[in-house]
Every structure is written in structure tokens, then in C-alpha cells.
Amino acid sequence: MSSTMDPPIYYSRSEYIETDTGNKVSRRATIAGPQNIVLGGKTIISSGAIIRGDLRRTGPGHTVVIQLGRYCLIGEGCIMRPPYKTFRGAFNYYPMKIGDHVHIGAGSVIEAATIGNHVEIGKNCIIGKFTIIKDCAKIADNTVIPPNTVIPTFSRFAGSPGHFIEDLPESTQEMVEAQTKQYYTRFQPLDRQ
């Protein structure tokens, strides 16, 4: 658990674009189909992350492909793409919805249908297609979650394939919220203007 005295995490102002809702998006991230991606505010998308908003259902009109809540962190080199399946002979992508206060570690590949609020996903994880991660869950580093898995609230999963390890305390929500807000506060430009 980090203390309030943690030093700032510095980034180069020229590398990040900051939106009017406080999202900080690295110019080294690949945001495909940005018109189909909704960021809730105060979300950080790190260098090398790939978000595939261009993978959308066929047909006319505007579609939200990937929706992220507030105070999310997409780590370096993460890949986020909507889940897909062939149903009655038709191939289609399905939307991905991610709640508030979700941290995704570096190098993870996410194809979940839904990730709840106050969720921590470690580094180098693979979250299989149509996985549903409920609120206040934690996925350990290097975990492989098979497609269609439902991860219950207040549970920690680890391993390959990922399996239940332990229940998390009721305080998980407050702890994760404090950590995500603190990370955002610590994420400061090195070259202040």
C-alpha cells in the first residue's frame, strides 16, 4: 500500500495530450477509431497502448465500441480490443465496457465484455473474450483468464488458466479508489509551463 508521500510520476508534456475532462493520452499510444471510444475523464493511456475502437459491428451509424470510466489507467503496451464471435453465420464485434477506478498493468491483452469498478489487472495478463469481471476484483500478474469467465466481486484470480485464489476484504473498494486517484495526482508533467 502506498503512502501519501509517494513521489510524482513524471511524463513529458509533449508526449501526452490532455483533454478538457483530464484524460491524458500518450502520443505513442495507438487509438484506432477514436470516434467509437468514450473516456470518462481523468483516465491515463500510456505509451504503446493499442485501443481498437475501429473493430465495430457492421452496419450504419455511430457505435460505442470501448467505453472507459473515470480514473482508469491503461498501462504501457496494453492491447484492448472488443470481443467477437460468429453467431448464426454472421461475424460481429461486441462492445466492451469498463467501469471507474480500473488499473490495467503493462503488456496485458484485454478482450473482456465488461470490467466493473475498482478492478486491478496485473501486468502481462490475458483477459479472454467475453470475460465479465465484477466490481472490486483483482487479477494477479501473468494471469490468463479463459474466454467467457465470470470473475466474482471481491475475488482475486491468478494462474494460467486463471482460477480463484482468495476473497478480498470489504475495504478493497476504498483502497483501489484511493490508489487510482493518487496515481492520477502523482502523474505530473516534467516540463511545467
Side-chain angles (χ1 to χ4, degrees):
M1 190 67 196
S2 50
S3 72
T4 53
M5 301 303 289
D6 280 342
I9 299 161
Y10 287 117
Y11 68 90
S12 168
R13 188 185 292 276
S14 63
E15 188 198 326
Y16 279 80
I17 300 162
E18 185 165 357
T19 70
D20 53 3
T21 53
N23 298 307
K24 297 180 180 185
V25 181
S26 171
R27 293 178 194 275
R28 296 189 186 130
T30 302
I31 312 293
Q35 69 278 12
N36 302 325
I37 298 168
V38 176
L39 302 179
K42 298 194 165 143
T43 282
I44 299 168
I45 299 176
S46 305
S47 172
I50 299 171
I51 301 183
R52 297 295 306 270
D54 58 324
L55 302 178
R56 59 184 283 263
R57 292 185 91 119
T58 51
H62 172 75
T63 312
V64 174
V65 174
I66 296 176
Q67 182 175 349
L68 284 157
R70 292 167 53 77
Y71 290 104
C72 292
L73 169 69
I74 310 304
E76 292 190 6
C78 280
I79 299 172
M80 301 182 72
R81 53 183 178 233
Y84 61 85
K85 66 180 173 185
T86 302
F87 182 68
R88 293 186 179 156
F91 175 89
N92 249 324
Y93 289 100
Y94 292 80
M96 177 190 298
K97 186 174 190 308
I98 295 174
D100 299 333
H101 305 285
V102 174
H103 269 203
I104 300 173
S108 289
V109 177
I110 312 295
E111 292 186 285
T114 308
I115 298 175
N117 301 314
H118 306 96
V119 171
E120 291 180 278
I121 297 173
K123 296 176 183 166
N124 304 312
C125 293
I126 296 173
I127 308 298
K129 292 181 198 67
F130 297 104
T131 295
I132 295 172
I133 302 177
K134 302 283 182 96
D135 294 350
C136 302
K138 185 169 188 167
I139 313 296
D141 291 353
N142 308 308
T143 300
V144 177
I145 302 292
N148 305 304
T149 303
V150 176
I151 295 179
T153 302
F154 293 114
S155 62
R156 188 164 87 86
F157 271 55
S160 178
H163 57 278
F164 176 81
I165 299 293
E166 63 182 350
D167 287 314
L168 296 171
E170 290 286 323
S171 60
T172 298
Q173 178 174 334
E174 291 80 38
M175 284 168 32
V176 172
E177 188 161 325
Q179 286 171 340
T180 57
K181 285 182 172 175
Q182 186 187 35
Y183 188 95
Y184 184 84
T185 302
R186 289 168 61 207
F187 197 72
Q188 296 291 331
L190 183 57
D191 37 0
R192 291 178 180 270
Q193 288 175 333

